[in-house]
Amino acid sequence: MKALRIKWQYAVIALLAVSAAAFGLLRPQLLPTVSSTKQTKQKLSATDRIRQNPPPVLFTDAEITPIGKQADAQRKKADALFAQWKKAHGTTRDDKAFAAWAARQVPAPPAAKDRTAELHQVQALAKTRTAAGKKAATWLELNGKKDVWKRYLHDQRELIPAAQGTAEKAELKAALKLAKTVSDQLAALDKQQAPFVLDPTLRPEKHIKPGAKGPYSYPSRHAARAAAAVTFLSALSPHRAEDYRWMQDEVLYSRLYMAGHVAGDLTAGTLLGDLIGDYTLMVSGH
């Protein structure tokens, strides 16, 4: 499948050569740089922001696969849990009630000894950092919040009726917002310090003061947003699901690489995001 993604990349480059529309963001250096002064002064779209800041070479499949497998395990859990919600509540939209229910499905933070073990894993990974790895992680941290998922959806909007595309854009935006809201609420409640707070040497540029409590990292906001987006996008375009999950794994690994999260933060965020993705699909009629 990796070979298929590479072939797809070359097809995209060919399309860019003959069209102003950019179809897809699946591998580094696919999108041209925006040079128009007028365009840069305007509020930029996700597509334009990525054009201005194209992805560097990202992490290898071997690097991202372990955390990807942990994230994949959350998918079945989320589907089983969401079936319970649907059975009890039907398909009626109730964002407030669903958000409260989804928050209750996220497991309590791991015991202190387990979190310490996960911190040691992050500390070990930090010792392997390279300049290229830091560049990749920085790009993923910035664009993995929203822009890359909006960019993927834009690909699909080029090929469907305008009204449908507008509706799907609004649905994705709502899913990303709900994922952020619930993950932030849980983080404030659980108060699990980010790895770079527990060990400031992991991110000295953050200038963490002695005794600092936050930022908090359980569950991961990046993971929740990525999972919600991937669940939604994969239903719209099943043939591209593997590519969406590849990018999800890239985002998750980047959070470990730069000590923003431990693995448990990411799996908890993924479970939450998968639930939100299921809910978004249901209420939008997909």
Side-chain angles (χ1 to χ4, degrees), residues 40-55:
T40 58
K41 289 182 179 180
Q42 299 174 347
K43 183 177 180 180
L44 298 178
S45 67
T47 295
D48 289 334
R49 284 191 292 271
I50 291 176
R51 280 176 174 166
Q52 285 195 332
N53 179 27

Side-chain angles (χ1 to χ4, degrees), residues 32 50-51 66 111 123-124 132 155 171 200 203 223 250-252 271 286:
I50 291 176
R51 280 176 174 166
Q123 290 169 326
D155 298 348
E171 291 155 6
R203 295 288 296 272
E250 289 279 348
V251 172
L252 297 182
L271 176 65
H286 290 288

Side-chain angles (χ1 to χ4, degrees), residues 1-71:
M1 298 307 295
K2 181 177 179 181
L4 290 177
R5 285 202 297 269
I6 294 173
K7 290 179 180 179
W8 193 90
Q9 176 180 354
Y10 291 135
V12 171
I13 294 173
L15 283 172
L16 287 173
V18 297
S19 172
F23 280 80
L25 170 62
L26 293 184
R27 285 301 189 195
Q29 308 296 347
L30 299 190
L31 297 172
T33 301
V34 175
S35 59
S36 170
T37 302
K38 180 178 179 181
Q39 189 169 4
T40 58
K41 289 182 179 180
Q42 299 174 347
K43 183 177 180 180
L44 298 178
S45 67
T47 295
D48 289 334
R49 284 191 292 271
I50 291 176
R51 280 176 174 166
Q52 285 195 332
N53 179 27
V57 175
L58 300 183
F59 297 107
T60 67
D61 288 354
E63 290 173 304
I64 67 177
T65 293
I67 190 60
K69 288 182 177 179
Q70 292 183 52

Side-chain angles (χ1 to χ4, degrees), residues 67 106-107 109-110 115 140-141 144-145 176 178-188 190 192 194-195 216-228 248 251-256 259-274 276:
I67 190 60
V106 177
R115 192 166 180 85
L140 289 160
E141 181 176 358
K145 296 175 182 178
L176 293 171
L178 186 58
K180 177 184 183 300
T181 298
V182 179
S183 57
D184 283 353
Q185 290 173 346
L186 285 171
D190 292 327
Q192 298 295 299
Y216 302 123
S217 65
Y218 183 93
S220 164
R221 182 195 304 173
H222 273 81
R225 282 175 158 176
Q248 179 184 17
V251 172
L252 297 182
Y253 183 75
S254 75
R255 309 305 293 135
L256 290 175
H261 295 282
V262 296
D265 300 339
L266 299 172
T267 54
T270 299
L271 176 65
L272 173 62
D274 285 337
I276 291 171

Side-chain angles (χ1 to χ4, degrees), residues 91-139:
T91 59
T92 301
R93 183 169 204 140
D94 189 340
D95 290 359
K96 184 176 180 180
F98 173 77
W101 174 85
R104 292 194 297 271
Q105 309 315 305
V106 177
K113 65 176 183 178
D114 295 327
R115 192 166 180 85
T116 298
E118 290 187 319
L119 175 62
H120 290 163
Q121 293 172 353
V122 171
Q123 290 169 326
L125 180 60
K127 295 178 181 179
T128 70
R129 290 178 189 161
T130 64
K134 290 179 181 179
K135 188 174 182 180
T138 299
W139 189 91

Side-chain angles (χ1 to χ4, degrees), residues 23 153-162 164 237 239-240:
F23 280 80
L153 183 63
H154 182 272
D155 298 348
Q156 308 309 313
R157 293 179 65 201
E158 297 286 339
L159 305 173
I160 60 178
Q164 180 183 343
S237 302
H239 62 288
R240 295 187 63 187

